Amino acid sequence: MKTEFDAEALKSLVAHFPDFPHPGVSFCDISPVLSEPGALLAAAQAMTSTFHQLSISKVAGIESRGFLFGPSIAQILGVGFCPIRKAGKLPGDTIGESYGLEYGSDTLEIQVDAVVSGDRVLLVDDVLATGGTLAAATQLVQTAGAVVAGATVLIELDFLSGRDRLGALPVAAVIHY
C-alpha cells in the first residue's frame, strides 16, 4: 500500500477513456484513485489545502462524483455537507438551475434549506471541464442566499477554459491536463 500521494502520483492513477460518453469526449475516470488505499484521503486533503483560511461553513458536493470527495473534505474542514443533485432526486422543496454540458444539457437542484444566508460554501466536483456544472452550482447556492467561497476539483481540463466561466471565484485543482 502506497502511503504518500502527491499530485503526480494521483494523476498516474487516473484512467482515460476516449469517446465516452459521446464521440469526441475523453472521460477521465477516477475509479483507480478510489480503489487505491489512501489515495481518496490524499486527494481530499489536496483539494482542501487552499481553503482552510476562507471560513467555509458548508461543503456542497455536485452529483455524482462530488459526493465521493465532498464528505471527506467537509470532515477535514470540520463543517457540514450537502448534496447538489440532478433534477428530481431530492425530496422536499428544491431550487433548480439548468446548464449546458460539452455534450448536452442538464439541471441541478439543491434543497431550499441545505444552505442559508450567511453560509460560505465550498463547491466540490471531480472534474472542471467547460465550467457549466460549477457555474450552475454557483447560481444555485447564491439563489439559496449563501455565498460561494470557492470551488475545488481533483482534475481540471485546462484546454477547455472552464475556469473562465467562473469569473473571480477561487478555484483549486490538484491535477491539470
Side-chain angles (χ1 to χ4, degrees), residues 84-109:
I84 294 177
R85 299 211 58 191
K86 303 277 173 86
K89 302 282 186 169
L90 291 170
D93 293 332
T94 60
I95 301 166
E97 182 72 27
S98 295
Y99 63 103
L101 298 162
E102 57 271 27
Y103 47 85
S105 64
D106 215 335
T107 300
L108 292 176
E109 292 182 337

Side-chain angles (χ1 to χ4, degrees), residues 110-143:
I110 190 170
Q111 290 171 308
V112 295
D113 59 354
V115 296
V116 296
S117 179
D119 273 339
R120 293 182 48 79
V121 178
L122 177 62
L123 298 174
V124 177
D125 207 354
D126 64 331
V127 175
L128 170 56
T130 63
T133 304
L134 279 172
T138 298
Q139 183 61 47
L140 276 178
V141 169
Q142 291 171 341
T143 299

